[in-house]
Amino acid sequence: LGLLIFLGLAFGFDLDLPHWLVILALFGLGATAGPVQPINAELAVEVTYPADETSIEAVQQLCGNLFSALLVPICERAAKIDFDVLPGIGPAEDIRGDSLVLVLLTFVTCLYYTTFSAPLKRSDFDNQAKGTSA
């Protein structure tokens, strides 16, 4: 989350960062955000058991792609808006609206996943099966 905010603010402020720092931040972002999709797929399968795993993952992928496609025009419009950061306090810097949309989306997603609480039906079934066979 910190790397995303760092890159978003650096892009919004139009900072001239060293290439190695940008590459390092992108690698860090990829290493931390990359595993989210498989974890999300496992969670979807856990809470929808006994539904077919392939169907659940296909629906999840389709919905993710649809949401991404819907987010493009929203970010295009938001990119036309500049917000002043700390007006009158420091140098005249601004951040574009599309960066703020993505940062807000990241915060909302983190909040949702940290408060998510649903019965893990597949794990419950596996635990019951182990208890009856033992």
Side-chain angles (χ1 to χ4, degrees):
L1 182 60
L3 289 171
L4 180 65
I5 292 171
F6 168 72
L7 289 171
L9 290 176
F11 182 71
F13 287 144
D14 197 21
L15 298 179
D16 188 21
L17 298 174
H19 292 303
W20 65 269
L21 184 60
V22 173
I23 298 295
L24 187 65
L26 288 173
F27 272 124
L29 184 62
T32 56
V36 170
Q37 179 67 22
I39 292 170
N40 192 29
E42 278 299 311
L43 181 60
V45 169
E46 281 281 342
V47 298
T48 58
Y49 184 82
D52 181 43
E53 293 180 19
T54 308
S55 298
I56 297 303
E57 291 175 8
V59 168
Q60 175 191 358
Q61 188 67 38
L62 181 67
C63 290
N65 290 344
L66 177 64
F67 183 73
S68 294
L70 293 173
L71 198 58
V72 169
I74 293 170
C75 285
E76 282 181 347
R77 285 198 178 147
K80 297 175 184 174
I81 303 169
D82 285 334
F83 293 96
D84 290 330
V85 177
L86 304 173
I89 297 176
E93 297 289 348
D94 63 351
I95 187 167
R96 290 189 350 209
D98 58 339
S99 296
L100 290 178
V101 168
L102 295 177
V103 168
L104 177 66
L105 182 62
T106 303
F107 277 121
V108 169
T109 303
C110 286
L111 179 66
Y112 178 78
Y113 276 100
T114 56
T115 60
F116 184 79
S117 178
L120 303 178
K121 296 177 183 178
R122 186 174 64 177
S123 293
D124 290 343
F125 179 78
D126 289 344
N127 289 338
Q128 287 175 358
K130 287 179 185 177
T132 56
S133 65

